[in-house]
């Protein structure tokens, strides 16, 4: 049974850096059986309707500015998978989840930075998925749960975002980690380990420092964790695989579900 994962994609510079976190992701991709396909929810693809990619070969989207020229030369020409896209359509219909197919959009950096570190050869089919910050965590979890059967078919489900992601608070020189970020992630770790959905679904009002870790204007980076959790609802087991920080509070957390 393939797990599902929540992976922080950090800053785009991760794509060209060699550090503790990139090395961890390089090894993580080798630690699981090779997936048949990857279904990835990216924080950088927001839409009101749930979007499901049905793409033959993805283009690479550079949805950032002001970074080194080298970043804009990276290509990640992953293929889609018609069969898995069709299976997702069927699962969403069975679970009364509205959706729309997307046949043109490429992979944004929330997708390709993570995928390239895990599987650098771009030789595993990918189905890109949007996220909707306007939905409640209950609804986001339900969307992930609808896909749980795919894990038994060797499909890896990934939510790509960041548990602490407040660009107005980051310090672009690496500094000691801010206490408020640690306190939020510590709270999250306890409630994920206990699969405490009641608390997690109202994280914004009960978690310490939630207003800093997940600012109202930027919840799209946190919510992929609910899609990834939902995909492992049949097992309800959470394991923290990695946690580190950059820029004072930008978290690099990796959670395994299932």
């Amino acid at each position: 049974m393939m797990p599902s994962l929540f992976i922080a994609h950090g800053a785009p510079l991760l794509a060209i850096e060699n550090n503790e976190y990139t090395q961890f992701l390089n090894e993580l991709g080798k630690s699981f059986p090779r997936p048949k396909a990857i279904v990835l929810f990216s924080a950088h693809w927001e839409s009101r309707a749930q979007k499901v990619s049905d793409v033959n070969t993805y283009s690479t989207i550079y949805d950032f500015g002001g970074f080194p020229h080298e970043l804009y030369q990276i290509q990640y020409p992953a293929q889609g998978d018609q069969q898995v896209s069709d299976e997702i359509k069927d699962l969403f219909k069975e679970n009364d989840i509205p959706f729309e197919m997307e046949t043109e959009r490429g992979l944004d950096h929330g997708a390709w930075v993570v995928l390239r570190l895990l599987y650098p050869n771009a030789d595993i089919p990918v189905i890109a998925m949007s996220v909707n910050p306007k939905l409640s965590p209950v609804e986001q979890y339900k969307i992930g749960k609808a896909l749980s059967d795919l894990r038994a078919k060797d499909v890896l489900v990934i939510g790509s975002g960041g548990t602490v992601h407040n660009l107005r608070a980051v310090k672009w020189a690496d500094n000691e980690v801010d206490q408020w970020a640690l306190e939020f992630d510590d709270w999250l770790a306890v409630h994920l380990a206990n699969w405490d959905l009641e608390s997690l679904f109202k994280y914004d009002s009960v978690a310490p420092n939630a207003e800093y870790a997940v600012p109202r204007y930027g919840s799209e980076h946190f919510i992929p964790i609910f899609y990834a959790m939902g995909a492992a609802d049949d097992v309800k087991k959470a394991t923290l695989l990695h946690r580190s920080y950059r820029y004072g509070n930008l978290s690099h957390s990796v959670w395994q579900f299932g």
Side-chain angles (χ1 to χ4, degrees), residues 14 80 116 118 127 129 132 146 151 179 182 211 213 244 250:
L14 280 180
R116 186 168 175 268
L118 293 172
I127 295 83
M129 309 285 282
N132 183 357
R151 292 174 33 249
Q179 188 64 30
L182 292 172
E211 68 274 21
S244 58
L250 185 66

Side-chain angles (χ1 to χ4, degrees), residues 55 75 90 109 113 126 176 179 183 195 205 239:
V55 172
Q75 299 284 323
D90 292 340
H109 85 271
V113 169
V126 175
E176 183 178 348
Q179 188 64 30
E183 290 175 358
W195 213 269
S205 60
T239 305

Side-chain angles (χ1 to χ4, degrees), residues 62-80:
Y62 309 102
D63 50 335
F64 45 78
F67 288 93
H69 177 73
E70 183 182 357
L71 268 179
Y72 303 91
Q73 306 308 304
I74 293 174
Q75 299 284 323
Y76 194 83
Q79 305 290 305

Side-chain angles (χ1 to χ4, degrees), residues 185 220 233:
D185 267 343
E220 77 286 339
D233 179 79

Side-chain angles (χ1 to χ4, degrees), residues 8-15 17 67 71 109 113 165 172 247 250 252:
H9 60 248
L13 286 171
L14 280 180
E17 290 178 329
F67 288 93
L71 268 179
H109 85 271
V113 169
H165 188 277
W172 291 110
Y247 315 121
L250 185 66
H252 290 162

Side-chain angles (χ1 to χ4, degrees), residues 86-99 142-143 145-150 153:
D86 287 342
E87 288 185 59
I88 292 172
K89 288 194 293 184
D90 292 340
L91 289 169
F92 281 167
K93 288 176 181 177
E94 291 172 14
N95 289 276
D96 298 319
I97 295 172
F99 66 92
K142 178 184 176 183
I143 290 170
K145 183 177 178 180
L147 304 179
S148 59
D149 287 350
L150 293 177
K153 300 178 180 181

